[in-house]
Coordinates of all heavy atoms in Angstrom, one line a residue:
M824 N 30.2 -4.7 301.5 CA 29.2 -5.7 301.7 C 28.7 -6.3 300.3 O 28.2 -5.5 299.5 CB 28.0 -5.1 302.4 CG 26.8 -6.1 302.6 SD 25.5 -5.3 303.6 CE 26.2 -5.3 305.2
D825 N 29.0 -7.5 300.1 CA 28.7 -8.1 298.8 C 27.2 -8.3 298.6 O 26.5 -8.4 299.6 CB 29.6 -9.3 298.4 CG 29.2 -10.5 299.3 OD1 28.0 -10.8 299.5 OD2 30.2 -11.2 299.7
T826 N 26.8 -8.5 297.4 CA 25.3 -8.6 297.1 C 24.7 -9.8 297.7 O 23.6 -9.8 298.3 CB 25.1 -8.6 295.6 OG1 25.7 -7.4 295.0 CG2 23.7 -8.6 295.2
A827 N 25.4 -11.0 297.7 CA 24.9 -12.2 298.3 C 24.7 -12.1 299.8 O 23.7 -12.5 300.3 CB 25.8 -13.4 297.9
L828 N 25.7 -11.5 300.4 CA 25.6 -11.3 301.9 C 24.5 -10.3 302.2 O 23.7 -10.6 303.1 CB 26.9 -10.7 302.4 CG 27.0 -10.3 303.9 CD1 26.8 -11.6 304.7 CD2 28.3 -9.7 304.2
F829 N 24.3 -9.3 301.4 CA 23.2 -8.3 301.6 C 21.9 -9.0 301.5 O 21.0 -8.8 302.3 CB 23.4 -7.1 300.7 CG 22.4 -6.1 301.0 CD1 22.5 -5.3 302.2 CD2 21.3 -5.8 300.2 CE1 21.6 -4.3 302.5 CE2 20.4 -4.9 300.5 CZ 20.5 -4.1 301.6
S830 N 21.7 -9.8 300.4 CA 20.4 -10.5 300.2 C 20.1 -11.4 301.3 O 19.0 -11.5 301.8 CB 20.5 -11.3 298.9 OG 20.6 -10.4 297.8
S831 N 21.1 -12.1 301.8 CA 21.0 -13.0 303.0 C 20.5 -12.2 304.2 O 19.6 -12.6 304.9 CB 22.3 -13.7 303.3 OG 22.2 -14.5 304.4
F832 N 21.1 -11.0 304.4 CA 20.8 -10.1 305.5 C 19.3 -9.7 305.4 O 18.6 -9.8 306.4 CB 21.7 -8.9 305.5 CG 21.1 -7.7 306.1 CD1 21.0 -7.6 307.5 CD2 20.6 -6.7 305.3 CE1 20.4 -6.5 308.1 CE2 20.0 -5.6 305.9 CZ 19.9 -5.5 307.3
L833 N 18.8 -9.3 304.2 CA 17.5 -8.9 304.1 C 16.5 -10.0 304.4 O 15.4 -9.7 304.9 CB 17.2 -8.3 302.7 CG 17.8 -7.0 302.4 CD1 17.5 -6.6 300.9 CD2 17.3 -5.9 303.3
D834 N 16.9 -11.2 304.1 CA 16.0 -12.4 304.3 C 15.9 -12.7 305.8 O 14.9 -13.4 306.2 CB 16.5 -13.6 303.6 CG 16.3 -13.4 302.1 OD1 15.5 -12.6 301.6 OD2 17.0 -14.1 301.3
R835 N 16.8 -12.3 306.6 CA 16.9 -12.7 308.0 C 16.8 -11.6 309.0 O 17.4 -11.6 310.1 CB 18.2 -13.5 308.3 CG 18.3 -14.8 307.5 CD 19.5 -15.5 307.7 NE 20.7 -14.7 307.3 CZ 21.8 -14.7 307.9 NH1 22.1 -15.4 308.9 NH2 22.8 -13.9 307.4
Q836 N 16.1 -10.5 308.7 CA 16.1 -9.4 309.6 C 15.3 -9.8 310.9 O 14.3 -10.4 310.8 CB 15.4 -8.2 309.0 CG 16.2 -7.5 308.0 CD 15.5 -6.2 307.5 OE1 14.9 -5.5 308.3 NE2 15.7 -6.0 306.2
P837 N 15.9 -9.4 312.1 CA 15.2 -9.7 313.3 C 13.9 -8.9 313.5 O 13.7 -7.9 312.9 CB 16.2 -9.4 314.4 CG 17.1 -8.3 313.7 CD 17.1 -8.7 312.3
D838 N 13.0 -9.4 314.4 CA 11.8 -8.7 314.7 C 12.2 -7.6 315.7 O 12.5 -7.8 316.9 CB 10.8 -9.7 315.4 CG 9.5 -9.0 315.8 OD1 9.3 -7.8 315.5 OD2 8.7 -9.7 316.4
L839 N 12.2 -6.3 315.2 CA 12.6 -5.2 316.0 C 11.6 -5.0 317.2 O 12.1 -4.6 318.3 CB 12.6 -3.9 315.2 CG 13.5 -3.9 314.0 CD1 13.4 -2.5 313.3 CD2 15.0 -4.1 314.5
G840 N 10.4 -5.4 317.1 CA 9.4 -5.2 318.2 C 9.7 -6.2 319.3 O 9.2 -5.9 320.4
A841 N 10.4 -7.2 319.1 CA 10.7 -8.2 320.1 C 12.0 -8.0 320.8 O 12.4 -8.7 321.7 CB 10.7 -9.6 319.5
M842 N 12.7 -6.9 320.4 CA 14.0 -6.6 320.9 C 13.9 -5.6 322.0 O 13.1 -4.7 322.0 CB 15.0 -6.1 319.8 CG 15.2 -7.1 318.7 SD 16.2 -6.4 317.3 CE 17.8 -6.6 318.0
G843 N 14.8 -5.7 323.0 CA 14.8 -4.8 324.1 C 15.8 -3.6 323.7 O 16.4 -3.6 322.7
R844 N 15.8 -2.6 324.6 CA 16.6 -1.4 324.3 C 18.1 -1.7 324.0 O 18.6 -1.3 323.0 CB 16.5 -0.4 325.5 CG 17.4 0.8 325.3 CD 17.2 1.9 326.3 NE 15.8 2.4 326.3 CZ 15.4 3.3 325.4 NH1 16.2 3.7 324.5 NH2 14.2 3.7 325.4
E845 N 18.7 -2.6 324.9 CA 20.1 -2.9 324.6 C 20.4 -3.6 323.3 O 21.3 -3.3 322.6 CB 20.7 -3.7 325.8 CG 22.2 -3.9 325.7 CD 22.7 -4.6 327.0 OE1 22.2 -4.4 328.1 OE2 23.7 -5.4 326.8
E846 N 19.5 -4.5 323.0 CA 19.6 -5.2 321.7 C 19.4 -4.3 320.5 O 20.2 -4.4 319.6 CB 18.5 -6.3 321.6 CG 18.7 -7.5 322.5 CD 17.6 -8.5 322.5 OE1 16.4 -8.0 322.8 OE2 17.8 -9.6 322.1
L847 N 18.4 -3.4 320.6 CA 18.2 -2.4 319.6 C 19.4 -1.5 319.4 O 19.8 -1.2 318.3 CB 17.0 -1.6 319.9 CG 15.6 -2.3 319.7 CD1 14.5 -1.5 320.3 CD2 15.3 -2.6 318.2
E848 N 20.0 -1.0 320.5 CA 21.1 -0.1 320.4 C 22.3 -0.9 319.8 O 23.0 -0.3 319.0 CB 21.5 0.4 321.8 CG 20.5 1.4 322.3 CD 20.7 1.8 323.8 OE1 21.4 1.1 324.5 OE2 20.0 2.8 324.2
D849 N 22.5 -2.1 320.2 CA 23.6 -2.9 319.6 C 23.4 -3.1 318.1 O 24.3 -3.0 317.3 CB 23.8 -4.2 320.3 CG 24.3 -4.1 321.7 OD1 24.9 -3.1 322.0 OD2 24.2 -5.1 322.4
Y850 N 22.2 -3.4 317.7 CA 21.8 -3.6 316.3 C 22.0 -2.4 315.5 O 22.5 -2.4 314.4 CB 20.4 -4.2 316.2 CG 20.0 -4.8 314.9 CD1 21.0 -5.5 314.1 CD2 18.8 -4.6 314.4 CE1 20.6 -6.0 312.9 CE2 18.4 -5.1 313.1 CZ 19.3 -5.8 312.4 OH 19.0 -6.3 311.2
L851 N 21.6 -1.2 316.1 CA 21.8 0.1 315.4 C 23.3 0.3 315.2 O 23.6 0.8 314.1 CB 21.1 1.2 316.3 CG 21.2 2.6 315.7 CD1 20.6 2.6 314.3 CD2 20.6 3.6 316.6
D852 N 24.1 0.0 316.2 CA 25.5 0.2 316.0 C 26.0 -0.7 314.9 O 26.9 -0.2 314.1 CB 26.3 -0.1 317.3 CG 26.1 0.9 318.4 OD1 25.7 2.0 318.1 OD2 26.4 0.6 319.6
T853 N 25.5 -1.9 314.8 CA 26.0 -2.8 313.7 C 25.5 -2.3 312.4 O 26.3 -2.3 311.4 CB 25.3 -4.2 314.0 OG1 25.8 -4.7 315.2 CG2 25.7 -5.2 312.9
V854 N 24.3 -1.9 312.3 CA 23.8 -1.4 311.0 C 24.5 -0.1 310.6 O 24.9 0.0 309.4 CB 22.2 -1.1 311.1 CG1 21.7 -0.3 309.9 CG2 21.5 -2.4 311.3
R855 N 24.8 0.7 311.5 CA 25.6 2.0 311.2 C 27.0 1.6 310.7 O 27.6 2.2 309.8 CB 25.7 2.9 312.4 CG 24.4 3.6 312.6 CD 24.4 4.5 313.8 NE 23.2 5.3 313.9 CZ 22.9 5.9 315.0 NH1 23.6 5.8 316.1 NH2 21.7 6.6 315.0
S856 N 27.6 0.5 311.3 CA 28.9 0.1 310.8 C 28.8 -0.5 309.4 O 29.7 -0.3 308.6 CB 29.6 -0.9 311.8 OG 29.0 -2.1 311.7
W857 N 27.7 -1.2 309.1 CA 27.5 -1.7 307.7 C 27.4 -0.5 306.8 O 27.9 -0.6 305.6 CB 26.3 -2.5 307.7 CG 26.4 -3.9 308.4 CD1 27.5 -4.5 308.7 CD2 25.3 -4.7 308.8 NE1 27.2 -5.7 309.4 CE2 25.8 -5.8 309.4 CE3 23.9 -4.5 308.7 CZ2 25.0 -6.8 310.0 CZ3 23.1 -5.5 309.3 CH2 23.7 -6.7 309.9
I858 N 26.7 0.5 307.1 CA 26.6 1.7 306.3 C 27.9 2.3 306.0 O 28.3 2.7 304.9 CB 25.6 2.7 306.9 CG1 24.2 2.2 306.9 CG2 25.7 4.1 306.2 CD1 23.1 3.0 307.7
D859 N 28.7 2.4 307.1 CA 30.1 3.0 307.0 C 30.9 2.2 306.0 O 31.6 2.7 305.1 CB 30.8 3.1 308.3 CG 30.2 4.2 309.2 OD1 29.5 5.0 308.7 OD2 30.4 4.1 310.4
R860 N 30.9 0.8 306.1 CA 31.6 0.0 305.2 C 31.1 0.1 303.8 O 31.9 0.2 302.8 CB 31.5 -1.5 305.6 CG 32.4 -1.9 306.7 CD 32.5 -3.4 307.0 NE 31.8 -4.3 306.1 CZ 31.2 -5.4 306.4 NH1 31.2 -5.8 307.7 NH2 30.7 -6.2 305.5
L861 N 29.8 0.2 303.6 CA 29.2 0.4 302.3 C 29.7 1.7 301.7 O 29.9 1.8 300.5 CB 27.7 0.3 302.4 CG 27.0 0.1 301.1 CD1 27.5 -1.2 300.3 CD2 25.5 -0.1 301.3
D862 N 29.7 2.8 302.5 CA 30.2 4.1 302.0 C 31.6 4.0 301.4 O 31.9 4.7 300.5 CB 30.2 5.1 303.2 CG 28.8 5.6 303.5 OD1 27.9 5.4 302.7 OD2 28.7 6.2 304.6
E863 N 32.4 3.2 302.0 CA 33.8 3.0 301.5 C 33.8 2.3 300.1 O 34.8 2.4 299.4 CB 34.6 2.2 302.5 CG 34.9 2.9 303.8 CD 35.5 2.0 304.8 OE1 35.9 0.9 304.5 OE2 35.6 2.5 306.0
E864 N 32.7 1.6 299.8 CA 32.7 0.9 298.5 C 31.9 1.6 297.4 O 31.6 1.0 296.4 CB 32.0 -0.5 298.8 CG 32.7 -1.4 299.8 CD 32.0 -2.6 300.1 OE1 30.9 -2.9 299.5 OE2 32.4 -3.3 301.0
E865 N 31.6 2.9 297.7 CA 30.7 3.6 296.7 C 31.4 3.7 295.4 O 32.5 4.1 295.2 CB 30.5 5.0 297.2 CG 29.6 5.8 296.3 CD 29.3 7.2 296.9 OE1 29.8 7.6 298.0 OE2 28.6 8.0 296.1
P866 N 30.7 3.2 294.3 CA 31.2 3.2 293.0 C 31.4 4.7 292.5 O 30.6 5.5 292.9 CB 30.2 2.5 292.1 CG 29.4 1.7 293.1 CD 29.4 2.5 294.4
E867 N 32.3 4.9 291.6 CA 32.6 6.2 291.1 C 31.6 6.7 290.1 O 31.2 7.8 290.1 CB 34.0 6.3 290.6 CG 35.1 6.2 291.6 CD 36.5 6.4 291.0 OE1 36.6 7.1 290.0 OE2 37.4 5.9 291.6
D868 N 31.2 5.7 289.2 CA 30.3 6.1 288.1 C 28.8 6.1 288.6 O 28.2 5.0 288.8 CB 30.4 5.1 287.0 CG 29.6 5.4 285.8 OD1 28.8 6.4 285.8 OD2 29.6 4.6 284.8
M869 N 28.3 7.2 288.8 CA 26.9 7.4 289.4 C 25.9 6.9 288.4 O 24.7 6.8 288.7 CB 26.7 8.8 289.8 CG 27.6 9.2 291.0 SD 27.4 10.9 291.4 CE 25.8 10.9 292.2
E870 N 26.2 6.7 287.1 CA 25.3 6.3 286.1 C 25.3 4.8 285.9 O 24.5 4.2 285.1 CB 25.6 7.0 284.8 CG 25.6 8.5 284.9 CD 24.2 9.0 285.3 OE1 23.2 8.5 284.8 OE2 24.2 10.0 286.0
S871 N 26.1 4.0 286.6 CA 26.3 2.6 286.4 C 25.3 1.8 287.1 O 24.7 2.2 288.1 CB 27.7 2.2 286.8 OG 27.8 2.2 288.2
E872 N 25.1 0.5 286.7 CA 24.2 -0.4 287.4 C 24.8 -0.7 288.7 O 24.0 -0.9 289.7 CB 24.0 -1.7 286.5 CG 23.2 -1.5 285.3 CD 23.0 -2.7 284.5 OE1 23.1 -3.8 285.1 OE2 22.7 -2.6 283.3
E873 N 26.1 -0.8 288.8 CA 26.7 -1.1 290.1 C 26.4 0.0 291.1 O 26.1 -0.3 292.3 CB 28.2 -1.1 289.9 CG 29.0 -1.5 291.2 CD 30.5 -1.5 290.9 OE1 31.0 -0.6 290.2 OE2 31.2 -2.3 291.5
Y874 N 26.4 1.3 290.7 CA 26.0 2.4 291.6 C 24.6 2.3 292.0 O 24.2 2.5 293.2 CB 26.3 3.7 290.9 CG 26.1 4.9 291.9 CD1 27.2 5.3 292.7 CD2 24.9 5.5 292.1 CE1 27.1 6.3 293.6 CE2 24.8 6.6 293.0 CZ 25.9 7.0 293.7 OH 25.7 8.0 294.6
E875 N 23.7 1.9 291.1 CA 22.3 1.8 291.4 C 22.1 0.7 292.5 O 21.3 0.8 293.4 CB 21.5 1.5 290.2 CG 20.0 1.4 290.4 CD 19.2 1.2 289.2 OE1 19.6 1.6 288.1 OE2 18.1 0.7 289.3
A876 N 22.7 -0.5 292.3 CA 22.6 -1.6 293.3 C 23.2 -1.1 294.6 O 22.6 -1.4 295.7 CB 23.4 -2.8 292.8
W877 N 24.3 -0.4 294.6 CA 24.9 0.1 295.8 C 23.9 1.1 296.5 O 23.7 1.0 297.7 CB 26.2 0.9 295.5 CG 26.8 1.6 296.7 CD1 27.7 1.0 297.5 CD2 26.6 2.9 297.1 NE1 28.1 2.0 298.5 CE2 27.4 3.1 298.2 CE3 25.8 3.9 296.6 CZ2 27.4 4.3 298.9 CZ3 25.8 5.2 297.3 CH2 26.6 5.3 298.4
G878 N 23.3 1.9 295.7 CA 22.4 2.9 296.3 C 21.2 2.2 296.9 O 20.7 2.6 298.0
D879 N 20.7 1.1 296.3 CA 19.6 0.4 296.9 C 20.0 -0.3 298.2 O 19.2 -0.2 299.2 CB 19.1 -0.7 295.9 CG 18.4 -0.2 294.7 OD1 18.0 1.0 294.6 OD2 18.3 -1.0 293.7
R880 N 21.2 -0.8 298.3 CA 21.6 -1.4 299.5 C 21.8 -0.4 300.6 O 21.4 -0.5 301.7 CB 23.0 -2.2 299.3 CG 22.8 -3.4 298.5 CD 24.1 -4.2 298.5 NE 25.3 -3.5 298.0 CZ 25.7 -3.6 296.8 NH1 25.2 -4.3 295.9 NH2 26.8 -2.9 296.4
H881 N 22.3 0.8 300.2 CA 22.5 1.9 301.2 C 21.2 2.4 301.7 O 21.0 2.6 302.9 CB 23.3 3.0 300.5 CG 24.0 3.9 301.4 ND1 23.4 4.9 302.0 CD2 25.3 4.0 301.8 CE1 24.2 5.6 302.8 NE2 25.4 5.0 302.7
E882 N 20.3 2.6 300.8 CA 18.9 3.1 301.2 C 18.2 2.1 302.2 O 17.6 2.5 303.1 CB 18.1 3.3 300.0 CG 16.7 3.9 300.3 CD 15.9 4.3 299.1 OE1 16.4 4.4 298.0 OE2 14.7 4.5 299.3
A883 N 18.4 0.8 301.9 CA 17.7 -0.3 302.7 C 18.3 -0.2 304.1 O 17.6 -0.3 305.1 CB 17.9 -1.6 302.1
L884 N 19.7 0.0 304.2 CA 20.3 0.0 305.5 C 19.9 1.3 306.3 O 19.7 1.3 307.5 CB 21.8 -0.1 305.4 CG 22.3 -1.5 305.0 CD1 23.8 -1.4 304.7 CD2 22.1 -2.5 306.1
E885 N 19.8 2.4 305.5 CA 19.4 3.7 306.2 C 18.0 3.5 306.7 O 17.6 4.0 307.8 CB 19.5 4.8 305.2 CG 21.0 5.2 305.0 CD 21.1 6.3 304.0 OE1 20.2 6.5 303.1 OE2 22.1 7.0 304.0
D886 N 17.1 2.9 305.9 CA 15.7 2.7 306.3 C 15.7 1.8 307.6 O 14.9 2.1 308.5 CB 14.9 2.0 305.2 CG 14.6 3.0 304.1 OD1 14.8 4.2 304.2 OD2 14.2 2.5 303.0
L887 N 16.5 0.8 307.6 CA 16.5 -0.1 308.8 C 17.0 0.7 310.0 O 16.4 0.6 311.1 CB 17.5 -1.3 308.5 CG 17.7 -2.3 309.7 CD1 16.3 -2.8 310.2 CD2 18.6 -3.4 309.2
A888 N 18.0 1.5 309.8 CA 18.5 2.3 311.0 C 17.4 3.2 311.5 O 17.2 3.4 312.7 CB 19.7 3.1 310.5
D889 N 16.6 3.8 310.6 CA 15.5 4.7 310.9 C 14.5 3.9 311.7 O 13.9 4.3 312.7 CB 14.9 5.3 309.7 CG 15.7 6.4 309.1 OD1 16.7 6.9 309.8 OD2 15.5 6.8 307.9
D890 N 14.2 2.7 311.2 CA 13.2 1.8 311.9 C 13.7 1.4 313.3 O 12.9 1.4 314.3 CB 13.0 0.5 311.1 CG 12.2 0.7 309.8 OD1 11.6 1.8 309.6 OD2 12.2 -0.2 309.0
I891 N 14.9 1.2 313.5 CA 15.5 0.9 314.8 C 15.4 2.1 315.7 O 15.0 2.0 316.9 CB 16.9 0.4 314.7 CG1 17.0 -0.9 313.9 CG2 17.6 0.2 316.1 CD1 18.5 -1.3 313.5
M892 N 15.7 3.3 315.2 CA 15.6 4.5 316.0 C 14.1 4.7 316.4 O 13.9 5.1 317.5 CB 16.2 5.7 315.3 CG 17.7 5.5 315.2 SD 18.7 6.8 314.4 CE 17.6 7.9 313.7
D893 N 13.2 4.5 315.5 CA 11.8 4.7 315.8 C 11.4 3.7 316.9 O 10.6 4.1 317.8 CB 10.9 4.4 314.6 CG 11.0 5.5 313.5 OD1 11.5 6.6 313.8 OD2 10.6 5.2 312.4
Q894 N 11.9 2.5 316.8 CA 11.5 1.5 317.9 C 12.1 1.9 319.2 O 11.5 1.8 320.3 CB 12.1 0.1 317.5 CG 11.6 -1.0 318.3 CD 10.1 -1.3 318.3 OE1 9.5 -1.1 317.2 NE2 9.5 -1.7 319.4
L895 N 13.3 2.4 319.2 CA 14.0 2.9 320.4 C 13.2 4.1 321.1 O 13.0 4.1 322.3 CB 15.4 3.3 320.2 CG 16.4 2.2 320.1 CD1 17.7 2.7 319.5 CD2 16.7 1.6 321.5
E896 N 12.7 5.0 320.2 CA 11.9 6.1 320.7 C 10.6 5.6 321.3 O 10.0 6.3 322.2 CB 11.7 7.1 319.6 CG 12.9 7.8 319.2 CD 12.7 8.7 317.9 OE1 11.6 8.9 317.5 OE2 13.7 9.3 317.4
A897 N 10.0 4.5 320.8 CA 8.7 4.0 321.3 C 8.9 3.3 322.6 O 7.9 3.1 323.3 CB 8.2 3.1 320.3
L898 N 10.1 3.0 323.0 CA 10.3 2.3 324.3 C 10.2 3.3 325.5 O 10.5 4.4 325.5 CB 11.6 1.6 324.4 CG 11.8 0.4 323.4 CD1 13.2 -0.1 323.5 CD2 10.8 -0.7 323.7

């Protein structure tokens, strides 16, 4: 997932509270697939700026997955 695409994604996140169970489950599947794709792109140098940016993207997606799961539990 390139940086521009990820920035665009962050700007257009849907309102989780307005989504039904099926929409949330589909979105969770999508976010998990993004995490899997991002895992494949993990930089080798853990001290690099590239790794830090990768980690920030990864953490944001994991947080989003957690938010979706919380919303599903609230239904």
